[in-house]
Amino acid sequence: PDDDDDDEADYEEEEEEATDLSRRCVEACYHAAFCGRGPPGSTHWSPDASDLNFQGVLDYLSSSPPIDYILPPEHSQGVHSMLSGVHYSPLLKAAVAAEWDNLESRKDVAKRAIFEMVLLAGAAFDGPVGDTIRTFAGTAMTEAGGGVQYMGEYACSVLDKCTALPAARRARWPEVLGEISAAAAGAEQYAVVRRRFLEICCEGKVDEATLEGLHS
């Protein structure tokens, strides 16, 4: 009986941990997908909304979660029903959605920094997962009818430039996280993300001008 009690307690603890991880992943997916909107429920633009969303993703990644954690559909409804389009998917899929800010836009630097930061943290995009992410890039889940497709060329081009393997990126993530966290919020943090993305993810083979040129 004692063994059964211990097993049940372990199971309940694992369930609580999984639920907490899902809750935090839902919040991070919201911040990544809806960068530019600000906190959940916000409907008005504000100058600091995009950075609030960047900080939300950074906070999640600061806890070193399983970067390729798959968000179950029953949990994707928890914080915001609009996330239903990213269930059974990792955070990287949410990062390529085009809801408020858009990766294709040069001015949406926080959105691009989120995308690059998730890759720096070691997100995988090979095999079927990569196909899903590339196909989903530029999708707006909340447009009338849902799943409206905009341009996803920039996201796919950046993935092509990210040649470092997930394990190599993951190994460098603690030091990168430390540098991002030490920088002033906003432009300084985005600049750290971009510089380290070019150095680590692109293995120093791509310069910033080339990355910016992917927009045109």
Side-chain angles (χ1 to χ4, degrees):
D2 290 343
D3 289 342
D4 290 343
D5 290 343
D6 290 343
D7 289 344
E8 185 174 345
D10 290 344
Y11 175 78
E12 290 176 354
E13 184 176 344
E14 289 173 3
E15 280 291 293
E16 288 178 7
E17 290 176 356
T19 300
D20 180 62
L21 177 57
S22 288
R23 178 187 59 76
R24 292 186 293 112
C25 187
V26 166
E27 293 172 355
C29 284
Y30 172 87
H31 286 299
F34 293 90
C35 181
R37 182 177 181 134
S42 174
T43 57
H44 299 288
W45 181 88
S46 66
D48 59 349
S50 295
D51 188 60
L52 184 150
N53 295 128
F54 174 86
Q55 298 302 329
V57 177
L58 177 61
D59 182 63
Y60 174 69
L61 293 176
S62 296
S63 66
S64 299
I67 188 62
D68 297 319
Y69 176 72
I70 300 296
L71 187 62
E74 64 268 22
H75 291 139
S76 67
Q77 304 292 333
V79 169
H80 215 289
S81 62
M82 289 188 291
L83 285 176
S84 60
V86 297
H87 64 233
Y88 280 142
S89 302
L91 177 61
L92 186 59
K93 185 174 179 182
V96 300
E99 299 296 342
W100 283 47
D101 288 351
N102 193 324
L103 290 172
E104 301 287 337
S105 172
R106 290 177 185 270
K107 68 179 178 61
D108 293 336
V109 289
K111 175 74 173 179
R112 298 205 307 274
I114 287 173
F115 178 42
E116 294 165 1
M117 183 167 63
V118 174
L119 290 169
L120 274 166
F125 56 90
D126 55 352
V129 171
D131 293 341
T132 300
I133 290 168
R134 289 171 185 272
T135 302
F136 190 79
T139 296
M141 298 172 284
T142 52
E143 288 286 344
V148 176
Q149 187 77 23
Y150 292 105
M151 295 174 66
E153 285 85 350
Y154 177 77
C156 293
S157 296
V158 170
L159 292 177
D160 289 340
K161 302 292 184 186
C162 181
T163 53
L165 294 175
R169 289 181 269 127
R170 220 168 283 146
R172 301 285 300 276
W173 173 242
E175 69 178 80
V176 175
L177 174 61
E179 188 175 354
I180 296 170
S181 300
E188 191 174 314
Q189 287 185 324
Y190 308 154
V192 170
V193 171
R194 172 58 60 88
R195 175 170 52 78
R196 298 307 294 259
F197 177 79
L198 292 169
E199 173 199 341
I200 296 172
C201 297
C202 302
E203 301 179 289
K205 301 172 185 174
V206 179
D207 58 23
E208 184 156 5
T210 299
L211 206 59
E212 285 299 308
L214 297 176
H215 285 285
S216 53

